[in-house]
Amino acid sequence: MKYLNLYLDFEPSWDTYNRVTEIFGRTPQKHEKSKFDETDKPSTWWLQLLEDEENDIYVDFINVFMDLLEPNFERLKSIGVGKENILIWLIYEYEHQCALELSPKELERLGKNGIALNIDCHTKKVEN
């Protein structure tokens, strides 16, 4: 299973959170206060997509996320969310081998836009 996440960080604010939702026209993951939060106001907006290799579900996540971001960089900047506040994060849960391939065009698109990509891989826990 791959968990494909788009994160936008900002100063804690329900207004910013709601404006990002409005800009993208997508429903984010539900905000839940963590023990590390100093306030009930969200400081992160995030969207998660799932890719399931077992059921042959592929998600072109970099292009999906960049298609959301690129036409909206100026609007995001106007509400205090700069490119440095954006992260795409792939979490890959595997059983036998962790093998990833990213195309040069995808990496170039991320690089030209100054968007960070984080990748975490871990073995899937098998329950007996």
Side-chain angles (χ1 to χ4, degrees):
M1 179 74 76
K2 292 180 185 170
Y3 302 88
L4 315 162
N5 303 302
L6 172 62
Y7 290 95
L8 288 83
D9 292 323
F10 45 85
E11 292 297 317
S13 165
W14 278 108
D15 182 54
T16 303
Y17 182 87
N18 292 331
R19 291 189 61 196
V20 171
T21 301
E22 180 183 307
I23 288 168
F24 288 147
R26 301 285 299 262
T27 303
Q29 298 306 114
K30 183 181 178 196
H31 167 70
E32 294 182 10
K33 182 181 178 193
S34 80
K35 64 181 178 181
F36 303 106
D37 292 332
E38 296 176 9
T39 175
D40 288 337
K41 297 175 185 175
S43 60
T44 301
W45 184 100
W46 66 290
L47 179 65
Q48 183 175 75
L49 305 175
L50 300 176
E51 182 176 308
D52 186 351
E53 294 167 328
E54 290 179 21
N55 294 311
D56 249 359
I57 298 172
Y58 169 74
V59 178
D60 186 9
F61 73 104
I62 291 176
N63 288 315
V64 168
F65 291 154
M66 293 308 297
D67 287 348
L68 279 174
L69 291 167
E70 284 176 330
N72 293 303
F73 282 135
E74 288 304 314
R75 290 178 71 193
L76 292 168
K77 187 176 179 181
S78 75
I79 62 169
V81 181
K83 292 179 181 181
E84 67 279 2
N85 304 106
I86 300 170
L87 171 68
I88 294 175
W89 192 347
L90 162 63
I91 301 170
Y92 182 20
E93 201 176 56
Y94 65 96
E95 286 184 42
H96 303 287
Q97 177 184 3
C98 178
L100 299 171
E101 179 180 341
L102 300 171
S103 78
K105 286 192 181 273
E106 291 170 331
L107 295 174
E108 180 181 36
R109 192 172 182 191
L110 289 171
K112 281 185 176 181
N113 284 292
I115 302 300
L117 172 65
N118 187 23
I119 300 173
D120 286 338
C121 300
H122 60 88
T123 55
K124 185 175 181 178
K125 293 179 183 173
V126 179
E127 295 183 26
N128 295 331

